[in-house]
Amino acid sequence: MKSNKEKILILLPSNYQLYTLIEKNLLENGYDATVLIPDLKRFKYRNLYQKIKNFQQKTFLNNKEYKRKLKEEFVTRQVIEAINKHSFYDYVLVIRADFFSLEILEHAKSKTHNFVSYHFDGINRYPEIFKRIRIFDRFYVFDRQDIEQYSNFELLPCTNFYFDFYELRDENIKFDFYFLGSYHESRNVTLLNFQKFAEKHQLVAKMDIVYDKENKPKSDFQAKFECMTNYISFEKYLLNIQNSRYILDILISEHRGLSFRVFESLKYKKKLITSNPTIVDYEFYHPNNIFVLDNNYDQLLEFLDLPYVDIDASIVNTYSFTNWLNYLLRKEPYRNIDLPDVS
C-alpha cells in the first residue's frame, strides 16, 4: 500500500550524532524520512591494486591525498546508493553542505523540487561551501554577518533550534555549569577565566572540549578541562544540560550566530551565561535569564541569584525543531524565524 506521508531526505555530518534525534523528530512530525551521514568508518579498498598503490603513495611519496580521495569516492558511492531508495523526495535538506561532494549534492537535487541547505557555522571558516551555495533553491545561515558580507549569494536567515520531541529526562543536578564545544584558541582565555571564577566560589563547572589530532590543546589546558577526540552524542549532551544548574556558552571569534546551547536554555528554562553580545537583540532575551559575559565576573554571582522569568510560549515555540523545519521548507503554519540586524 502506497504511503501518503511526505518523503524527506536529510543529509548531515555525524558530529554529536545529531542525526539520531533529527530522524526521531522527523518521524514524530509524520514524514517518511531518510537521514544520511557520510560514514568513513565503513571504508574499504575496492581491490588489491588500490591498497598497493596507497602503500606506495604514502610510503615513498608521502602522499596522503590518494587515500583521502578514495574515501571521498567511497562515501559518494555509498550516499548516492542510499539516496536512490526513493525516486523522488518532496523535500531535501542538507545541513553543512561542505561535508558532501558536488556529485552527491547534484544527485540529491535531481530527486526533488525543494532543495534547501542550512549552515550552522560561519561560512568563511569552510571555503568549500562557496562552490555549493548556488546549487540550492534556498541557502540558510545562522549568522547575520554572513548575509551582509556575502550579499551576492542571497543567503537567508535562520537560527539553530531545540528538539521538541525528546522524552528522556534527568533533572538530577550534578554540576553548576555545563559547556560542550570544539577546541578553538579564541575560547581559551574565557574558559580559563571562567574556571578560575568557579573554583574561587566553590562552584562546579563541567567543560567538555572536543579536539582533533591536528589541533591538540597544550598539556596545561588539558589538565584543566575534560578534553576528548571523540564527540559525545547529542543525547548525552542534552542529559548533561539537564544535570546542570546553568548553561555556559563561549563563542569562537569567527562568528556571531547563536549556538544550540541558547535554545536548550529556552527549552529547559535554564539560565544562560554567554560571551555572545548579539543575544540582547533577540526577542527572547531577558536580563534575569541571560548574562552576557565580558570580564564582568563581579556581577555574575548577583545574576545567578535572580529568579528565572518565563518567556512567552509562542516565542519559545518559534525555536522548536518543528517550527524550524516548517520555516526552512516554507510549510504552513510556521512562525517567522529572522535574525536581528547586529551590524
Side-chain angles (χ1 to χ4, degrees), residues 253-284:
S253 60
E254 296 171 357
H255 64 68
R256 289 290 182 271
L258 301 187
S259 73
F260 282 99
R261 307 174 198 96
V262 172
F263 304 103
E264 301 309 333
S265 74
L266 273 178
K267 175 177 180 177
Y268 294 111
K269 298 184 179 182
K270 301 272 186 179
K271 287 193 169 196
L272 179 75
I273 300 96
T274 179
S275 62
N276 192 337
T278 70
I279 201 168
V280 301
D281 298 310
Y282 288 80
E283 60 183 341
F284 55 78

Side-chain angles (χ1 to χ4, degrees), residues 96-326:
R96 286 295 303 273
D98 52 304
F99 274 79
F100 297 92
S101 69
L102 290 168
E103 185 178 350
I104 288 174
L105 297 178
E106 293 286 5
H107 188 73
K109 184 175 184 177
S110 72
K111 297 284 190 176
T112 188
H113 299 313
N114 200 327
F115 192 51
V116 183
S117 183
Y118 176 65
H119 201 77
F120 58 62
D121 212 326
I123 61 173
N124 63 332
R125 299 185 68 201
Y126 306 96
E128 286 296 310
I129 198 64
F130 293 105
K131 300 175 184 177
R132 292 157 168 76
I133 293 174
R134 297 193 191 281
I135 296 175
F136 292 92
D137 299 325
R138 298 184 301 284
F139 194 100
Y140 293 87
V141 296
F142 85 145
D143 193 337
R144 171 67 73 178
Q145 292 181 139
D146 286 340
I147 296 174
E148 295 167 352
Q149 184 173 354
Y150 304 105
S151 57
N152 56 314
F153 281 107
E154 299 182 352
L155 303 172
L156 296 168
C158 194
T159 67
N160 284 322
F161 55 85
Y162 65 83
F163 286 109
D164 36 353
F165 292 105
Y166 177 72
E167 303 302 328
L168 192 55
R169 290 272 183 169
D170 180 3
E171 298 178 359
N172 179 31
I173 300 300
K174 298 178 181 177
F175 22 84
D176 296 294
F177 308 99
Y178 180 63
F179 172 81
L180 169 67
S182 57
Y183 177 72
H184 196 281
E185 287 191 3
S186 66
R187 282 176 166 147
N188 288 3
V189 171
T190 305
L191 288 172
L192 288 166
N193 286 340
F194 195 90
Q195 182 72 6
K196 289 178 183 177
F197 164 83
E199 290 174 353
K200 178 181 177 180
H201 296 284
Q202 298 182 316
L203 297 168
V204 178
K206 179 174 173 56
M207 302 189 198
D208 293 335
I209 312 296
V210 183
Y211 68 93
D212 56 49
K213 295 177 182 178
E214 291 75 28
N215 188 28
K216 188 176 181 179
K218 294 180 180 178
S219 56
D220 57 342
F221 184 89
Q222 291 197 54
K224 287 285 185 180
F225 306 105
E226 184 70 30
C227 297
M228 59 191 76
T229 55
N230 294 320
Y231 292 100
I232 69 171
S233 70
F234 205 84
E235 191 169 46
K236 175 61 177 173
Y237 155 75
L238 291 179
L239 284 175
N240 285 339
I241 287 289
Q242 294 178 61
N243 293 157
S244 180
R245 295 185 193 279
Y246 315 103
I247 300 173
L248 181 61
D249 176 53
I250 306 301
L251 200 67
I252 67 171
S253 60
E254 296 171 357
H255 64 68
R256 289 290 182 271
L258 301 187
S259 73
F260 282 99
R261 307 174 198 96
V262 172
F263 304 103
E264 301 309 333
S265 74
L266 273 178
K267 175 177 180 177
Y268 294 111
K269 298 184 179 182
K270 301 272 186 179
K271 287 193 169 196
L272 179 75
I273 300 96
T274 179
S275 62
N276 192 337
T278 70
I279 201 168
V280 301
D281 298 310
Y282 288 80
E283 60 183 341
F284 55 78
Y285 171 77
H286 193 287
N288 276 42
N289 302 346
I290 300 173
F291 184 84
V292 180
L293 190 64
D294 184 23
N295 291 321
N296 48 353
Y297 290 93
D298 56 326
Q299 303 169 35
L300 184 49
L301 286 177
E302 181 180 344
F303 163 79
L304 298 179
D305 286 336
L306 294 173
Y308 185 91
V309 175
D310 286 339
I311 304 301
D312 186 271
S314 66
I315 293 176
V316 176
N317 290 339
T318 300
Y319 303 97
S320 68
F321 176 85
T322 297
N323 188 66
W324 174 86
L325 185 67
N326 287 345

